[in-house]
Amino acid sequence: MEKYYKLRSLAVLFIAVLMIAGLSQDVGAAKDNILRIAFDSGDTKSMDPGRSFGTQDMALQDMIFNGLLRYKPGDISVIETDLAERYEVSGDGMAMTFYLRKGVMSHPFKGYPDGIELTTEDIAYNIKKNQDPKTSTYSSTYMNFEAEIIDKYTIKIKLKERMVQPELFFTDYRGGFVILKKAFETIGALRHNTSPVGTGPFKVDKYIPGQKVILKAHDKYFRGKPKLDAVEALFMPDINAREFALRKGEIDVMEGMREQPWIEKMKKVSIVEIFGPGEINHLNFNVSRKPFDNKKVRQALMYATSRDELLTFVGADAADPMCSIIPPFMKGGLSCDDIAKKGLLYKHDIEKAKKLLAEAGYPNGFDVEETITERLSYRRSMENIQAQWKKVGVNIKLNVVDHATYHTKIRQDVNPFTMYICMRPNADIFLSWFFHSDAIVVSGKRPVTNFSHYTLVDDLIIKARNETDSAKQEEIWRQIQTKLLEDGINYPMYVLKFVFARNDRIDWGFEQKAVLALYTQINEQTSLKK
Amino acid sequence: MKNDILLEVRDLHTHFYTDEGLVKAADGIDITIKKGKTLGLVGESGCGKSVTALSIMRLIQEPPGKIVKGEILFDDQNLLKLSEAKMRHIRGNRISMIFQEPMTSLNPLLRCGNQIAEAISLHQGVSNRDARAKAVEMLQKVGIPDPEGRAREYPHQMSGGMRQRVMIAMALSCNPELMIADEPTTALDVSIQAQILALMNQLKEEFGASILLITHDLGVIADMAQSVAVMYAGKIVEYVDVVRLFDNPMHPYSVGLMESIPKMDEVVPEDKILRTIPGVVPSLYNLPSGCYFQERCNEAFDACGKKVPPLIEIEPGHLLRCWKYGQQ
Amino acid sequence: MIKYSIRRILLTIPLLLVVLSMVFVFVRLAPGDPAMAMLGQYATQEGLDALRKQMGLDAPMWLQYLRFLGDLLRGDLGVSMLNGVPVVDQLRVVLPYTLELTVSAMVLGVLLGVPMGVYTALRRNRSADYSGRVVSLVGISIPSFFLGILLLYVFSVRMDLFPVLGAGRDGDLGDRLYHLVLPTLSLGLIMTSYIMRMTRSSMLNVLNEDFVRTAKSKGLQERIVVYKHAFMNALIPVVSVLGIYFIINLGSSIMTEIVFSRPGLGKLMVLAMKQRDYVVLQSVMVIYATLAIFINLFVDLIYGLIDPRIKYG
Amino acid sequence: MLNDLRRKQLRVFLRNRIAVVGFFLTLLLILIAFFAGYVAPYDPNEQNVYSRLTSPDLKHWFGTDSYGRDTLSRVIHGSRISLAVGVCSIIFGMVIGSLAGMFAAFDRGKIGNLIMRAVDVMMCFPAEIFAILFLVMIGQGMDKLIFAIGVVMAPRFARLSYGTTLSIREREYIEAARALGAKRPRIVLKHIFPNILGEILVMCSLWTATAIRVEANLSFLGMGVPPPTATWGNMVRTGVSQLTNAPWLSIFPGLAIMVAVLAFNLIGDGLRDVMDPKLQQG
């Protein structure tokens, strides 16, 4: 019986300890000079610029690395120099010369407590690394470059084939981020994934897998010492946890939900930042697959889709309508008004859709199986389309897979139509990756993302790429888009903007208008109010 | 005369309230146990013997059981009126009990010595060490070899006979005036049975205790008891000393019981098989009106179906519940 | 006892081996391409092939299996397919969180469940017993994530009493405990229900045992009968199922870690599952199974210690 | 005699008020699931942009989700998945598990031993982990979920039937049947199976509760039946993100899971009381 009383008192003690532990804590994080940002992701895949594609990866790289050039912080419409002091493009557009800034020091690393100076040798090494499929995800693009070191601070980069805006591949974006040869070789590729060495305003201090990366200010940053002491990047794939954490002041800024109700809710308790340019959500019909080989079926489904309804779902704040694959703010883009003038708007019209289906031999519609990712931005829209098409008798059976599997599957050509959300730097890349026959998934010469198996604009794409007169070039790009819509190949729905919520302590140091890589940038100007 | 009576049970009614209905397990029991003597309580399984024993100990589980009526006079005090604390002082101290199942009646987690010592230190107020010494002494008394070593063993390390000896040692450890033995040998091998019974007899003499011996085995009664109460369906049907019962059983049920014992000194003819009592014990949920035994009784007549016969003394010291003898 | 222990310990070895093989086979048979998961939407065919080779995915299955076992023997669980972090390092970080959560939930379950089970058994068929039975039935019926969400909603969102995020600062015990309260409650209350039910029925069984009657016939006080004789015996079956309960607890902790956004094995596993990180996935599964096996071993050894029938068997 | 026993058991069951509540609850759930199409006020997948995230009112008793779908209708249709997966996987698990267990108990040779060792191994994993292991391998979907959970539950049935069969095996009438030259399958089906059926049925209802919970857990982790099919676990999972402004999205399906699991547990408890006379006596 003694034992029993002992047990009971132990239980009471246990609860008491928990309670006291609970009450003695002050809620919320300490008000230190550390910015805490939470990403919609379970972890970073890699902080190596050659090996990344998640938003969280690029947001981290943006703090750690620099490019030769950069998009002006918070504004992609302006390209300015970064590591390069200045640069020249040759008259024929087939070579670029970069002149490096002198005295750019890297983060300290093993054996080099003061870091090392960046030279053109590093730039050349970067290009080589980016060309190797073993070390880079972007090898097919960088294959086109060849580096020639002139001196320690001057490097000439030649193109093998003509390219539209080749300098874009040397900006602070993906493969454009510069790593240091010596550091990469010293610490090894593997460790470089999680403790990379760059020249940016922040250096990786500690990486805790599945939890966070702690970045400390890089005192010798060439633009000056950052105002923040450190940045903690937390991986919190659960929107709820992020939201709670923000409300309780445990974090300062979080990746939000790209949806109107959430935005409105959060506007009441925090500052919501919505910025572009965003990603284009579009459907690509697979013309090699029955019944989508029938133009009337494709057009019918375009009529059956209400862009307005899709937009209402996402919400006015988070999305803008898109009527053509190249957005109007990009060279060669078309606005909805332009499309309307051409009469290619495919304005929602169920009767017309039914009529077209009947003409095509499907008066009662048909059933179709479709694979979709579980990622909400895709799934939400796909489920809405599922509900819309049901009204014309087209039943979509959805197989939901995780996002990585989705990318595998769509490249195996499983889908009769494919939803894709992305941004590309220019019209040439958009068009050639999605509609050039070389890029056809599985069977193409260099398979990329031509899910529609469309082959009829190859000539036009090449013609535009080789056109040196930029007005004529844009005209050809517009011509391609018109043809795509006429043939009912691609149905652009909307541009999905980026949503972050934050507290009022943050002063970014610049205005976040449009960021290409889809995250709130944090740099040396960023500070926290006390 | 009165002074030699140790325990007197008067009109004891113990009922069980079950899902199936009311069960009158003890339905007006009257028994008397004299000092230093052994009373045998016989009857088929389920006739209420154990309930009577447990009622005396006041160990009936409540609910569903309840002692609804009666008196149990032990040393001139009515046990049913005692407080629980006072009753505890009697249990294990002045009245102790030995159970049927030696395999399960000992706590498997405690050493045998401790289980005996527990009662000793409780009732005799001695130190733990003395209690343990006494326990070893008791183990020796019940004929356990190496009592020191055995005291440190756990029940599962002992045989059934050994365990029953431990139970007896436990029961006798506080010099009780009354020992209730509920089928103490049923679960044991025949050879061990005899040893245990002999032991009980010997110790009874030594300690001067009385025994209430519950059994369905008339052979055991013949060896141990001075008087016998025959029980049937919750009632005593015959109460008499052992000699008279064996020589001249009067109640048809007792007669039946007697005839079902194989007699060693008689040669059973080939064509004559052992006699049994026909029929089954009536369900206690659904007793017949009148004499409970009537359905199995080959001497039953009209009166038996009408009223339960009373227990009457048909000759000095011989009580009987049967219309055949006690007809008014 | 020693013989029993050795036998019991030796038995776990083939068990572990089979578990390991099973995990390996299952994970290898899974669809989805880790190389694709790693390279993402810009992957090229050459890139994929090169990466597969680098990760050893092009080797025949049996070779991969031998490598897997060999590495395990050397305590090398490989590196994450996604970011090259050694899995051992990742596990070292998350394992303590999962352990502190599951163990504290178990402790809470025992400390609350056992006394409540005894109490309701002693008050059989009275109102305390009935309400205890209903509450514990609800307890074993409520999914851990739902209980977690309710606790989170009430105590963190509405009442603002507890934090919502993570597991607290390293090295700050108070903070760690503070973050542990709600997750422990959401797992521990479920464990309490299980243990309480088991204790109650075990206690009821024991109270009907002959030796309890024997103890009463000795004139022992009710409390001593209940706690010294009945309770200790009733505890044995309870202890013997603690291993099974711990496995249930371990399974539920996955959801709890997700709800409370706590680092831990479960969170790591779900992430690895989504990213097709086979190395991490198989390691986490191996750890879960190993944990379960060792907890069972531990429970069995304890069981042997308290039950003399095994100790001196 | 047997009939008497059954009638007595039925009486005991009916006297157990908690169990009767469970029985009617289950019956209600099954009816709702069966007639979901008639009971549900709306089409569970019909979206309505203009009534999104409305809180519970007379039109939508359980509110609507961020697609404007009626939560009540989705909860009602979700019962189909939960019950179907729970019941089917248990039937599947019971059949393969008890057969394997009975066989192992009867065989006691190498194969039987192997089966029981395999059972030990499978019992090492938490149910969710083991199911995930399977789902990772075979992919997602309702049929696969039933298969995975069935396999997860099978070892329990195997252990149960192994134990019971072993104890029955030695009884006289089996010996007698064997002496009469009955073949093994016949013995198993004719003599052993009917004898262990009672115990198996009790555990069936308790383990259906477990299976429903496991299904909900898997759904919650995103490994269940894929959307837009409404499943309770899925609904909680997506609803959690709106916990602060639309708690009904996660609370109602969560409650539904709890009630369903509870109902089966109640029945199982009641049945166990009926089967175990020791516990119900007194």
Side-chain angles (χ1 to χ4, degrees):
Chain A
M1 69 152 270
E2 240 85 301
K3 285 209 167 84
Y4 170 64
Y5 284 112
K6 241 183 249 167
L7 281 184
R8 194 156 65 177
S9 48
L10 265 179
V12 171
L13 196 72
F14 181 77
I15 295 166
V17 165
L18 290 182
M19 289 299 173
I20 292 166
L23 295 175
S24 67
Q25 292 295 314
D26 59 326
V27 181
K31 297 279 177 258
D32 43 19
N33 191 21
I34 299 173
L35 188 146
R36 291 179 178 82
I37 179 166
F39 290 105
D40 178 12
S41 161
D43 203 347
T44 170
K45 291 210 156 170
S46 171
M47 284 176 267
D48 183 323
R51 275 272 184 261
S52 56
F53 79 114
T55 303
Q56 75 284 6
D57 302 333
M58 289 184 283
L60 290 167
Q61 287 155 16
D62 186 55
M63 292 185 258
I64 301 165
F65 300 101
N66 299 94
L68 284 168
L69 309 174
R70 71 168 181 178
Y71 294 98
K72 191 179 165 201
D75 182 2
I76 49 160
S77 62
V78 181
I79 289 177
E80 53 185 35
T81 58
D82 196 6
L83 291 172
E85 220 163 29
R86 62 197 170 87
Y87 75 107
E88 298 156 357
V89 182
S90 69
D92 60 356
M94 292 299 280
M96 298 169 286
T97 312
F98 291 95
Y99 302 89
L100 282 194
R101 242 180 239 265
K102 296 191 176 74
V104 174
M105 295 304 288
S106 79
H107 304 155
F109 59 97
K110 205 173 139 198
Y112 298 88
D114 299 322
I116 53 170
E117 197 194 350
L118 179 94
T119 66
T120 46
E121 210 186 321
D122 297 310
I123 308 297
Y125 184 78
N126 248 326
I127 292 172
K128 234 176 78 192
K129 176 175 169 285
N130 275 334
Q131 289 172 343
D132 183 355
K134 273 189 215 155
T135 49
S136 169
T137 308
Y138 315 114
S139 58
S140 59
T141 313
Y142 283 87
M143 287 297 191
N144 198 30
F145 298 113
E146 200 177 339
E148 184 191 326
I149 296 174
I150 313 275
D151 62 37
K152 205 176 163 190
Y153 300 107
T154 315
I155 188 165
K156 189 171 178 186
I157 297 168
K158 287 185 259 180
L159 278 72
K160 292 175 192 156
E161 278 173 34
R162 175 163 293 282
M163 228 176 181
V164 178
Q165 290 179 288
E167 69 275 13
L168 291 186
F169 293 96
F170 298 92
T171 56
D172 55 345
Y173 184 62
R174 302 188 191 268
F177 284 120
V178 174
I179 61 158
L180 290 108
K181 180 185 178 198
K182 186 150 230 154
F184 190 75
E185 286 174 345
T186 308
I187 65 175
L190 214 55
R191 295 226 341 113
H192 198 270
N193 280 343
T194 54
S195 53
V197 175
T199 50
F202 297 95
K203 60 183 186 222
V204 174
D205 181 53
K206 200 173 174 190
Y207 164 58
I208 306 170
Q211 289 183 55
K212 59 182 169 186
V213 177
I214 301 170
L215 300 125
K216 284 249 164 83
H218 175 32
D219 296 344
K220 290 181 186 159
Y221 184 52
F222 65 87
R223 285 198 179 89
K225 189 181 171 197
K227 290 177 181 168
L228 289 170
D229 291 341
V231 175
E232 266 185 37
L234 300 121
F235 306 117
M236 299 173 65
D238 182 27
I239 174 85
N240 212 30
R242 294 203 297 280
E243 188 186 314
F244 281 155
L246 183 74
R247 283 166 183 261
K248 306 200 86 178
E250 292 173 25
I251 56 173
D252 299 300
V253 53
M254 62 172 280
E255 200 172 338
M257 207 172 184
R258 301 193 264 179
E259 205 182 62
Q260 197 67 23
W262 191 86
I263 294 170
E264 272 158 23
K265 171 179 79 176
M266 289 309 280
K267 271 182 176 165
K268 291 177 197 151
V269 292
S270 66
I271 299 168
V272 178
E273 304 224 18
I274 302 166
F275 51 90
E279 295 177 296
I280 291 149
N281 190 354
H282 52 116
L283 285 183
N284 295 285
F285 295 104
N286 188 340
V287 299
S288 72
R289 195 72 66 86
K290 259 188 177 317
F292 297 89
D293 55 342
N294 187 331
K295 184 172 158 185
K296 282 189 172 150
V297 170
R298 302 196 296 267
Q299 288 177 327
L301 292 176
M302 284 165 81
Y303 280 116
T305 314
S306 163
R307 190 178 275 121
D308 290 343
E309 192 177 324
L310 280 161
L311 268 171
T312 320
F313 261 111
V314 186
D317 286 349
D320 290 333
M322 274 289 304
C323 304
S324 178
I325 180 87
I326 310 297
F329 52 79
M330 198 175 266
K331 274 185 182 174
L334 286 166
S335 69
C336 282
D337 287 346
D338 298 335
I339 301 294
K341 271 178 214 147
K342 290 176 191 281
L344 289 172
L345 213 48
Y346 291 97
K347 203 163 165 36
H348 185 52
D349 187 338
I350 291 196
E351 287 317 308
K352 202 162 184 182
K354 279 184 179 162
K355 208 178 124 220
L356 279 166
L357 276 176
E359 281 171 23
Y362 300 98
N364 300 318
F366 51 87
D367 289 357
V368 63
E369 207 167 313
E370 171 80 3
T371 297
I372 189 70
T373 162
E374 62 172 1
R375 190 164 284 192
L376 224 50
S377 44
Y378 284 75
R379 212 185 77 206
R380 283 264 159 96
S381 297
M382 186 53 90
E383 284 189 39
N384 185 229
I385 287 173
Q386 186 183 36
Q388 292 192 20
W389 287 8
K390 207 178 161 196
K391 289 177 189 151
V392 296
V394 176
N395 295 309
I396 308 174
K397 182 176 176 269
L398 288 182
N399 301 319
V400 180
V401 297
D402 75 297
H403 199 58
T405 311
Y406 179 67
H407 277 292
T408 313
K409 291 261 181 189
I410 56 177
R411 280 171 179 73
Q412 291 164 354
D413 201 20
V414 296
N415 271 350
F417 54 95
T418 300
M419 183 182 282
Y420 210 85
I421 306 183
C422 68
M423 190 63 195
R424 298 286 176 262
N426 60 36
D428 177 57
I429 296 177
F430 256 124
L431 296 173
S432 53
W433 285 15
F434 281 100
F435 305 105
H436 192 282
S437 61
D438 278 359
I440 292 176
V441 286
V442 184
S443 57
K445 230 190 286 171
R446 282 203 329 230
V448 195
T449 50
N450 183 344
F451 303 110
S452 55
H453 293 249
Y454 193 57
T455 54
L456 304 179
V457 287
D458 289 8
D459 301 347
L460 287 172
I461 291 172
I462 303 300
K463 194 175 157 199
R465 190 180 297 159
N466 291 322
E467 178 59 62
T468 43
D469 180 339
S470 105
K472 279 185 187 162
Q473 190 179 43
E474 286 185 40
E475 195 40 52
I476 304 172
W477 283 337
R478 291 195 182 103
Q479 199 184 329
I480 297 173
Q481 293 168 65
T482 311
K483 186 152 174 50
L484 286 172
L485 285 170
E486 280 169 357
D487 285 352
I489 299 302
N490 170 276
Y491 183 81
M493 294 178 282
Y494 50 82
V495 179
L496 193 54
K497 287 191 273 195
F498 279 83
V499 177
F500 277 74
R502 65 171 172 94
N503 59 26
D504 55 3
R505 290 178 68 211
I506 301 177
D507 176 4
W508 298 116
F510 50 90
E511 195 191 342
Q512 309 258 15
K513 275 195 299 201
V515 182
L516 187 59
L518 328 169
Y519 46 83
T520 54
Q521 282 182 297
I522 298 167
N523 68 13
E524 76 285 351
Q525 299 294 323
T526 308
S527 61
L528 285 171
K529 284 173 211 144
K530 285 281 166 323
Chain B
M1 185 66 191
K2 187 99 183 147
N3 283 346
D4 66 335
I5 290 179
L6 179 67
L7 181 90
E8 192 173 356
V9 177
R10 280 190 202 149
D11 197 26
L12 175 74
H13 291 260
T14 304
H15 294 178
F16 287 84
Y17 302 88
T18 70
D19 287 344
E20 314 301 319
L22 178 70
V23 176
K24 298 178 178 174
D27 191 14
I29 302 286
D30 295 279
I31 48 174
T32 313
I33 299 173
K34 294 191 177 129
K35 279 185 183 154
K37 302 288 184 214
T38 300
L39 171 71
L41 191 57
V42 274
E44 286 162 297
S45 333
C47 70
K49 294 170 298 186
S50 297
V51 170
T52 307
L54 289 174
S55 300
I56 295 169
M57 293 293 276
R58 270 180 56 191
L59 286 177
I60 295 292
Q61 253 199 26
E62 202 174 330
K66 190 167 172 35
I67 299 172
V68 286
K69 202 173 142 192
E71 279 183 323
I72 297 172
L73 296 174
F74 176 72
D75 202 15
D76 289 338
Q77 44 187 343
N78 186 352
L79 295 185
L80 298 180
K81 293 262 155 68
L82 287 186
S83 70
E84 179 58 30
K86 283 200 173 135
M87 188 62 215
R88 267 207 308 274
H89 187 68
I90 288 177
R91 264 185 228 135
N93 189 19
R94 300 182 64 191
I95 306 177
S96 64
M97 199 160 169
I98 302 170
F99 295 96
Q100 184 173 356
E101 282 291 338
M103 307 307 280
T104 54
S105 292
L106 290 170
N107 186 337
L109 296 193
L110 294 178
R111 294 170 202 274
C112 293
N114 287 355
Q115 294 195 44
I116 300 172
E118 197 178 29
I120 298 171
S121 61
L122 175 74
H123 292 302
Q124 307 195 336
V126 295
S127 71
N128 281 343
R129 181 186 299 184
D130 291 347
R132 226 161 286 152
K134 178 87 192 293
V136 173
E137 189 193 318
M138 289 308 299
L139 285 176
Q140 193 173 15
K141 279 231 169 79
V142 295
I144 288 185
D146 183 24
E148 289 273 355
R150 289 289 181 166
R152 277 193 300 274
E153 284 190 351
Y154 288 93
H156 75 275
Q157 291 165 299
M158 295 181 173
S159 67
M162 252 349 157
R163 287 191 222 181
Q164 198 61 305
R165 283 169 199 263
V166 172
M167 284 296 296
I168 293 173
M170 197 187 289
L172 287 174
S173 60
C174 295
N175 301 343
E177 289 146 71
L178 175 65
M179 192 156 69
I180 302 175
D182 186 358
E183 311 242 7
T185 56
T186 313
L188 301 176
D189 286 348
V190 184
S191 56
I192 313 276
Q193 279 187 18
Q195 289 178 26
I196 296 286
L197 291 175
L199 177 71
M200 283 175 64
N201 251 341
Q202 173 207 330
L203 292 173
K204 182 191 85 169
E205 297 303 324
E206 191 179 332
F207 286 86
S210 309
I211 297 181
L212 173 61
L213 180 66
I214 296 171
T215 182
H216 59 267
D217 185 344
L218 285 172
V220 173
I221 296 287
D223 286 345
M224 302 274 295
Q226 282 81 48
S227 40
V228 186
V230 180
M231 226 179 139
Y232 187 77
K235 288 189 186 301
I236 303 288
V237 292
E238 188 163 4
Y239 185 100
V240 70
D241 60 90
V242 71
V243 182
R244 272 192 274 177
L245 181 74
F246 275 76
D247 287 351
N248 181 24
M250 293 183 80
H251 194 280
Y253 178 61
S254 311
V255 176
L257 281 180
M258 285 304 154
E259 282 177 352
S260 59
I261 316 175
K263 299 207 168 54
M264 286 306 177
D265 46 356
E266 265 175 33
V267 181
V268 182
E270 290 283 320
D271 58 327
K272 211 179 159 197
I273 48 160
L274 206 57
R275 281 193 52 193
T276 54
I277 307 172
V280 290
V281 186
S283 160
L284 288 176
Y285 297 115
N286 201 3
L287 287 168
S289 60
C291 175
Y292 297 162
F293 190 62
Q294 53 171 310
E295 281 166 6
R296 301 169 74 188
C297 181
N298 46 20
E299 296 171 70
F301 56 104
D302 321 344
C304 302
K306 287 184 185 136
K307 241 177 112 189
V308 180
L311 190 66
I312 48 172
E313 191 162 17
I314 56 158
E315 52 183 317
H318 195 158
L319 298 168
L320 196 63
R321 192 190 288 279
C322 183
W323 288 125
K324 192 174 139 197
Y325 302 97
Q327 224 169 343
Q328 307 293 306
Chain C
M1 178 67 195
I2 291 171
K3 225 166 146 193
Y4 166 80
S5 311
I6 291 175
R7 208 180 104 82
R8 188 65 192 74
I9 290 167
L10 284 180
L11 263 178
T12 56
I13 294 173
L15 204 60
L16 258 177
L17 199 70
V18 179
V19 167
L20 297 184
S21 315
M22 216 163 80
V23 169
F24 176 84
V25 171
F26 278 126
V27 174
R28 287 313 137 126
L29 288 175
D33 183 348
M36 178 62 86
M38 190 160 173
L39 292 183
Q41 53 181 340
Y42 297 95
T44 58
Q45 201 56 49
E46 310 97 84
L48 288 174
D49 291 342
L51 193 65
R52 286 202 188 102
K53 197 163 175 189
Q54 190 188 324
M55 298 195 294
L57 289 173
D58 58 337
M61 199 66 105
W62 61 269
L63 190 61
Q64 292 188 37
Y65 178 64
L66 285 184
R67 278 182 195 157
F68 165 72
L69 281 189
D71 287 346
L72 269 185
L73 271 181
R74 282 182 280 115
D76 178 5
L77 292 168
V79 298
S80 158
M81 285 176 168
L82 298 178
N83 50 26
V85 177
V87 180
V88 176
D89 290 353
Q90 300 200 31
L91 290 176
R92 201 174 290 148
V93 173
V94 299
L95 192 58
Y97 293 108
T98 298
L99 282 182
E100 86 185 5
L101 173 62
T102 48
V103 170
S104 64
M106 208 66 205
V107 170
L108 182 71
V110 171
L111 292 189
L112 288 180
V114 169
M116 281 165 74
V118 172
Y119 183 75
T120 48
L122 294 180
R123 318 224 115 214
R124 171 135 216 231
N125 288 343
R126 291 199 232 164
S127 58
D129 183 33
Y130 274 121
S131 42
R133 281 176 76 181
V134 171
V135 168
S136 66
L137 262 167
V138 171
I140 65 164
S141 302
I142 194 167
S144 63
F145 63 83
F146 186 52
L147 184 55
I149 288 167
L150 288 182
L151 290 172
L152 200 59
Y153 185 64
V154 174
F155 292 107
S156 286
V157 178
R158 290 269 144 180
M159 293 164 72
D160 202 21
L161 282 177
F162 289 98
V164 292
L165 155 71
R169 288 185 290 275
D170 289 338
D172 182 344
L173 186 66
D175 199 38
R176 285 283 280 269
L177 279 177
Y178 184 35
H179 281 78
L180 196 57
V181 177
L182 288 187
T184 298
L185 278 181
S186 78
L187 278 181
L189 291 181
I190 291 171
M191 277 297 109
T192 303
S193 307
Y194 276 103
I195 293 170
M196 175 178 159
R197 279 164 58 85
M198 185 67 204
T199 310
R200 176 181 176 272
S201 79
S202 171
M203 195 71 191
L204 284 179
N205 269 333
V206 170
L207 285 175
N208 278 325
E209 292 276 356
D210 291 343
F211 63 81
V212 171
R213 198 177 53 189
T214 307
K216 281 185 195 159
S217 80
K218 283 193 272 190
L220 297 176
Q221 282 171 307
E222 185 77 13
R223 314 185 285 171
I224 296 183
V225 172
V226 167
Y227 297 120
K228 185 173 170 188
H229 291 268
F231 176 67
M232 289 312 285
N233 275 285
L235 219 46
I236 288 180
V238 175
V239 168
S240 74
V241 295
L242 282 185
I244 294 171
Y245 289 168
F246 193 87
I247 294 181
I248 296 175
N249 188 17
L250 208 54
S252 306
S253 72
I254 303 172
M255 276 65 69
T256 305
E257 282 171 5
I258 304 283
V259 168
F260 289 96
S261 193
R262 272 177 69 86
L265 278 179
K267 222 177 149 216
L268 186 65
M269 184 193 73
V270 172
L271 189 64
M273 188 175 81
K274 288 191 177 149
Q275 297 176 326
R276 293 281 174 270
D277 191 337
Y278 290 169
V279 177
V280 174
L281 192 60
Q282 75 191 11
S283 304
V284 175
M285 299 231 167
V286 165
I287 295 293
Y288 268 120
T290 314
L291 259 181
I293 288 175
F294 277 98
I295 289 289
N296 266 322
L297 174 69
F298 179 68
V299 166
D300 277 4
L301 293 182
I302 294 223
Y303 183 72
L305 268 183
I306 61 171
D307 189 343
R309 277 163 294 194
I310 287 176
K311 200 169 168 187
Y312 301 99
Chain D
M1 188 70 196
L2 196 74
N3 251 344
D4 267 4
L5 182 68
R6 287 276 178 273
R7 219 173 304 136
K8 183 183 161 194
Q9 288 177 336
L10 184 67
R11 202 159 53 224
V12 173
F13 184 83
L14 289 179
R15 272 174 50 92
N16 186 339
R17 262 166 299 169
I18 301 182
V20 172
V21 169
F23 178 75
F24 281 109
L25 218 52
T26 312
L27 199 68
L28 187 70
L29 282 171
I30 291 174
L31 285 177
I32 286 177
F34 205 77
F35 296 106
Y38 301 98
V39 180
Y42 298 88
D43 176 344
N45 292 323
E46 187 175 295
Q47 310 186 351
N48 184 348
V49 189
Y50 304 103
S51 65
R52 288 201 289 171
L53 294 176
T54 53
S55 50
D57 56 21
L58 281 177
K59 220 172 141 209
H60 301 280
W61 291 2
F62 288 5
T64 61
D65 69 2
S66 52
Y67 293 98
R69 298 180 294 202
D70 181 50
T71 309
L72 175 62
S73 303
R74 288 180 71 72
V75 168
I76 287 174
H77 278 264
S79 67
R80 296 184 149 190
I81 306 295
S82 285
L83 290 185
V85 171
V87 172
C88 294
S89 61
I90 282 301
I91 291 173
F92 177 63
M94 181 191 78
V95 170
I96 56 172
S98 352
L99 284 181
M102 283 190 291
F103 177 81
F106 228 80
D107 178 82
R108 290 213 281 194
K110 271 200 188 108
I111 302 176
N113 204 15
L114 207 67
I115 291 177
M116 291 324 287
R117 290 290 80 75
V119 164
D120 288 346
V121 170
M122 297 204 240
M123 301 278 277
C124 286
F125 289 95
E128 287 81 5
I129 305 267
F130 196 26
I132 287 172
L133 205 60
F134 261 99
L135 292 171
V136 162
M137 186 175 71
I138 60 178
Q140 280 169 266
M142 175 120 163
D143 45 342
K144 287 155 183 164
L145 200 61
I146 289 173
F147 176 76
I149 297 179
V151 171
V152 169
M153 302 306 286
R156 305 178 183 216
F157 283 103
R159 226 175 232 188
L160 176 71
S161 64
Y162 180 76
T164 353
T165 309
L166 267 194
S167 68
I168 290 177
R169 200 191 119 95
E170 303 306 328
R171 285 195 203 155
E172 298 77 7
Y173 60 93
I174 303 292
E175 292 292 332
R178 223 184 323 190
L180 285 174
K183 290 232 170 60
R184 192 181 284 166
R186 204 186 135 74
I187 296 179
V188 168
L189 285 180
K190 276 262 174 189
H191 298 278
I192 296 193
F193 192 68
N195 276 294
I196 65 173
L197 192 64
E199 206 158 333
I200 286 186
L201 283 182
V202 174
M203 293 324 278
C204 266
S205 68
L206 284 177
W207 287 340
T208 301
T210 309
I212 292 175
R213 215 189 45 227
V214 171
E215 187 271 336
N217 282 343
L218 291 174
S219 261
F220 179 76
L221 292 178
M223 291 300 276
V225 178
T229 310
T231 76
W232 293 338
N234 242 325
M235 291 173 74
V236 177
R237 175 180 141 90
T238 37
V240 164
S241 60
Q242 320 258 15
L243 191 59
T244 46
N245 62 325
W248 58 86
L249 289 182
S250 40
I251 298 220
F252 286 118
L255 278 175
I257 298 169
M258 206 183 81
V259 168
V261 179
L262 187 63
F264 280 95
N265 273 331
L266 288 173
I267 293 188
D269 250 28
L271 282 181
R272 187 153 56 181
D273 282 357
V274 171
M275 294 308 224
D276 191 347
K278 198 146 108 194
L279 272 184
Q280 77 96 14
Q281 155 226 306

